[in-house]
């Protein structure tokens, strides 16, 4: 029975998520389908905002621990800017996005940009880029979900667990299939609110999981000092210092880049921006700022400490991406391990459901309803929403079989690409009356284009630049700086320059939105 | 400096946003600046405080604590409330409302 305990814990989590999906479905029905399904009727409270609006994902609980295990204490510097994420995410754009979305009646981010700039082209480009970026981001999340499940699923009868199908173990494929079905089911049923509520539920589980794992890891490693010395003995002094053990993981240029990455890129994520359109009122926003600050402190700092300890507990792990489930199964009792494993699994499920809702809203509301069929019935929109989600989930699930070795590499790319595309247009929309549609369009295209231009040569050549994360997904670090910084810079320059050379926007519209 | 009451909601929000930007610059300068001076070494016997390398304590944990306190202050006292009631806001007449597809539930 004990051997099934981790699996049973995950099954309970999956069932709970489905129940939440059903409750969300009921709550969404209070308003119209679109506003309820894609925006939760603008009724998010402080806890929902705080624990679901940032970039916690499979990366936080699977990819990040793998990096700490691999490179050591330098990861404390890598994630240091999470200290200021709550203020950046909520205090800079929060009130303006909340106000603009209400004034324009926008339900999705592309819709808000289109109405603010009075340009269907801006809306269309924003939708297409969002679908592209988020669909890519889904791949790593599906892989993370499958990795956790394969660790706890019983071996299939009559199947050799060491055999390979399509380059993957049967356990991995089995886990991937189950994960896909579960996450699709509750997201399809409950929409935005299901994604947010399950995210909230799972965020609380994550905190519990981390707080259980922390003392267990400390105890079994003999304490932080012993773990640090074990790491230094195993992989050299780089384990305790920058730029990291065994590789120039975080040279000075990248230290600066990643300080900007988490705090600034977090503001530009479509999932974060759409939540800024969905909060109830400004006290909600303030309380969410406080809650997120406390939550980030309780999550990120202990994560570093736990996986420093993992070096002493699990020396020589071949697949670093599996360090989280491996550590949980090693240090805790089976039932406790199940609860701990529910944390990363919950994080992955929450991210996937959020992405699916965003992609579906882009397809249905921003493209089909806006451009192809303005008189669509609710039934047509509902069917299309469900179909879009299913197709995207299956495609991402298939792509997960061939994704890079290190999850975090994909997550950094998609997070950076999304921020380079949306952050500057969102800031221009919120604070700059002189910003024009052509400026916003240029900002989106320049940001997305720059980051792609810096990643594509790396994918094609496959040449290891010798810095940053070791992966098979290398970008080109121009002057040692991460592509995200260049993309954001290009986006800002293009947005400002094109707006200033363009005809000023319609005064009446600007007066209403900036009154 | 203008008093809070004479500022429009937009100006208050702009001022708060600029405050966050200033804080971001300070936290970045402290964390990255200190780490550049203290973390980029290869000492085989690193100095530890409570088992943590000292550069992490002074370069990451300390600024994290300071920013946490400032964030709590901002959340309860610094950020000003604003009326976002949909009925109280000016709306775009030109905005096409495609969200009004009503569901015949049941």
């Amino acid at each position: 029975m004990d051997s099934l305990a981790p699996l049973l814990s995950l099954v309970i989590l999956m069932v709970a998520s489905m129940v939440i999906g059903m409750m969300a479905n009921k709550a969404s029905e209070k308003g119209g389908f679109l506003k309820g399904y894609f925006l939760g009727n603008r009724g998010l409270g402080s806890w929902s905002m705080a624990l679901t609006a940032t970039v916690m994902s499979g990366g936080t609980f699977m990819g990040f621990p793998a990096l700490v295990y691999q490179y050591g204490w330098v990861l404390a510097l890598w994630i240091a800017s999470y200290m200021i994420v709550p203020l950046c995410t909520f205090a800079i754009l929060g009130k303006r996005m909340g106000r603009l979305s209400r004034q324009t009646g926008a339900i999705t981010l592309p819709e808000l940009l289109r109405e603010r700039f009075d340009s269907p082209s801006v809306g269309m480009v924003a939708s297409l880029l969002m679908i592209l970026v988020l669909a890519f981001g889904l791949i790593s999340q599906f892989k993370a979900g499958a990795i956790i499940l394969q660790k706890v699923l019983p071996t299939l009868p009559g199947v050799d667990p060491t055999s390979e199908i399509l380059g993957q173990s049967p356990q991995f494929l089995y886990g991937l299939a189950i994960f896909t079905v579960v996450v699709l089911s509750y997201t399809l049923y409950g929409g935005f609110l299901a994604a947010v509520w399950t995210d909230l539920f799972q965020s609380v589980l994550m905190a519990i999981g981390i707080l259980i794992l922390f003392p267990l890891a400390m105890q079994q490693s003999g304490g932080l000092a012993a773990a640090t010395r074990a790491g230094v003995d195993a992989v050299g002094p780089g384990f305790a210092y920058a730029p990291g053990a065994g590789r120039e993981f975080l040279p000075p240029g990248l230290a600066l880049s990643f300080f900007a990455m988490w705090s600034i890129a977090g503001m530009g994520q479509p999932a974060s921006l759409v939540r800024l359109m969905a909060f109830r009122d400004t006290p909600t926003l303030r309380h969410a700022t406080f809650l997120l600050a406390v939550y980030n402190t309780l999550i990120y700092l202990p994560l570093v400490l736990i996986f420093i300890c993992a070096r002493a507990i699990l020396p020589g792990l071949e697949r670093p991406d599996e360090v989280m489930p491996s550590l949980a199964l090693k240090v805790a009792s089976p039932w406790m391990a199940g609860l701990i494993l529910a944390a990363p699994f919950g994080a992955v499920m929450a991210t996937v459901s959020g992405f699916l809702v965003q992609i579906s809203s882009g397809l249905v509301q921003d493209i089909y309803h806006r451009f192809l069929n303005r008189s669509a019935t609710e039934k047509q929109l509902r069917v299309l929403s469900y179909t879009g989600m299913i197709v995207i989930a299956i495609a991402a699930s298939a792509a997960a079989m061939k994704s890079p070795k290190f999850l975090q590499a994909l997550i950094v790319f998609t997070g950076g690409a999304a921020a380079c595309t949306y952050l500057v247009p969102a800031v221009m929309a919120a604070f700059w009356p002189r910003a024009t549609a052509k400026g916003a369009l240029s900002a989106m295209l320049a940001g997305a284009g720059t980051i792609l231009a810096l990643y594509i040569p790396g994918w094609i050549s496959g040449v290891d630049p010798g810095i940053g994360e070791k992966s098979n997904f290398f970008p080109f670090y121009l002057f040692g700086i991460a592509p995200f910084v260049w993309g954001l810079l290009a986006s800002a320059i293009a947005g400002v320059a094109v707006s200033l050379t363009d005809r000023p926007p319609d005064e009446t519209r600007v007066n209403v939105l900036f009154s | 400096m203008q008093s809070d009451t004479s500022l429009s909601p937009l100006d208050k929000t702009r001022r708060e946003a600029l405050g966050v930007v200033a804080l971001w610059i300070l936290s970045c300068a402290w964390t990255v600046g200190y780490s550049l001076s203290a973390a980029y070494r290869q000492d085989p016997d690193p100095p530890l405080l409570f088992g943590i390398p000292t550069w992490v304590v002074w370069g990451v944990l300390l600024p994290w604590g300071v920013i946490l306190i400032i964030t709590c202050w901002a959340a309860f006292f610094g950020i000003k409330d604003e009326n976002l009631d949909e009925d109280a806001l000016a709306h775009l007449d030109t905005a096409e409302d495609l969200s009004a597809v009503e569901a015949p539930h049941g």
Side-chain angles (χ1 to χ4, degrees), chain A residues 78-156:
Chain A
W78 193 72
I79 50 105
S81 70
Y82 270 94
M83 68 176 80
I84 200 162
V85 160
L87 280 177
C88 287
T89 305
F90 295 132
I92 292 183
L93 280 172
K95 284 193 277 187
R96 285 298 294 159
M97 292 298 284
R99 177 179 272 263
L100 285 175
S101 69
R102 285 160 172 84
Q103 288 182 302
T104 56
I107 292 172
T108 65
L109 177 62
E111 201 171 31
L112 185 140
L113 293 174
R114 185 190 52 244
E115 291 300 340
R116 160 66 181 87
F117 293 111
D118 193 19
S119 165
S121 310
V122 169
M124 177 62 108
V125 171
S127 301
L128 292 174
L129 288 174
M130 186 160 77
I131 292 165
L132 198 69
V133 168
L134 293 185
F136 207 74
L138 272 178
I139 297 168
S140 54
Q141 305 296 329
F142 274 93
K143 184 181 176 188
I147 286 175
I148 298 170
L149 273 180
Q150 74 168 355
K151 282 264 166 197
V152 298
L153 283 171
T155 310
L156 286 167

Side-chain angles (χ1 to χ4, degrees), chain A residues 73 213-232 239 304-313 331, chain B residues 48-53:
Chain A
W73 279 105
L213 198 52
F214 180 54
L216 292 174
M218 292 286 275
Q219 187 193 21
Q220 295 221 8
S221 65
L224 274 176
T228 302
R229 302 219 188 275
V232 170
F239 190 76
V304 175
L305 307 184
I306 289 167
F307 290 95
I308 287 293
C309 293
R311 249 301 165 186
I313 301 167
V331 302
Chain B
L48 304 178
L49 190 62
F50 307 115
I52 301 171

Side-chain angles (χ1 to χ4, degrees), chain A residues 235-458:
Chain A
V235 290
F239 190 76
Y241 287 107
R247 184 177 170 84
E248 294 262 316
F249 172 74
L250 199 71
L254 289 189
L256 189 63
S257 303
F258 278 95
F259 197 91
M261 171 80 195
W262 304 122
S263 49
I264 298 177
M267 290 164 62
Q269 300 306 306
S272 302
L273 289 169
V274 81
R275 279 158 173 75
L276 296 181
M277 297 161 60
F279 65 88
R280 192 183 304 134
D281 50 23
T282 53
T284 299
L285 198 67
R286 291 191 294 103
H287 298 153
T289 308
F290 165 72
L291 289 171
L292 181 60
V294 174
Y295 188 81
N296 277 354
T297 305
L298 288 178
I299 290 288
Y300 285 100
L301 297 178
L303 270 175
V304 175
L305 307 184
I306 289 167
F307 290 95
I308 287 293
C309 293
R311 249 301 165 186
I313 301 167
L314 298 167
L317 203 61
E318 272 185 26
R319 294 183 180 176
D321 272 350
E322 295 178 5
V323 66
M324 168 58 123
S326 300
L327 185 71
L329 291 167
K330 172 91 179 174
V331 302
S333 66
W335 286 100
M336 199 68 90
L339 182 64
I340 294 166
L341 282 184
F345 192 67
V348 175
M349 289 213 300
T351 309
V352 169
S353 58
F355 279 16
L356 284 174
V357 170
Q358 292 300 305
I359 294 169
S360 174
S361 71
L363 281 172
V364 175
Q365 172 72 348
D366 299 322
I367 295 179
Y368 178 76
H369 197 196
R370 176 67 56 179
F371 291 103
L372 302 177
N373 186 1
R374 281 168 178 260
S375 55
T377 63
E378 188 204 282
K379 192 179 172 192
Q380 286 172 315
L381 296 173
R382 201 182 276 269
V383 168
L384 194 68
S385 301
Y386 297 163
T387 314
M389 271 190 203
I390 292 168
V391 171
I392 294 280
I394 290 172
S397 178
M401 289 189 258
K402 289 284 173 198
S403 66
K405 187 179 167 195
F406 286 81
L407 288 178
Q408 202 67 31
L410 258 184
I411 288 160
V412 168
F413 166 70
T414 49
C420 290
T421 308
Y422 297 109
L423 183 58
V424 171
V427 171
M428 286 165 60
F431 291 109
W432 196 28
R434 179 66 179 78
T436 68
K438 283 181 187 163
L441 208 53
S442 309
M444 277 191 279
L445 294 173
T450 303
I451 204 157
L452 275 178
L454 291 171
Y455 266 93
I456 288 172

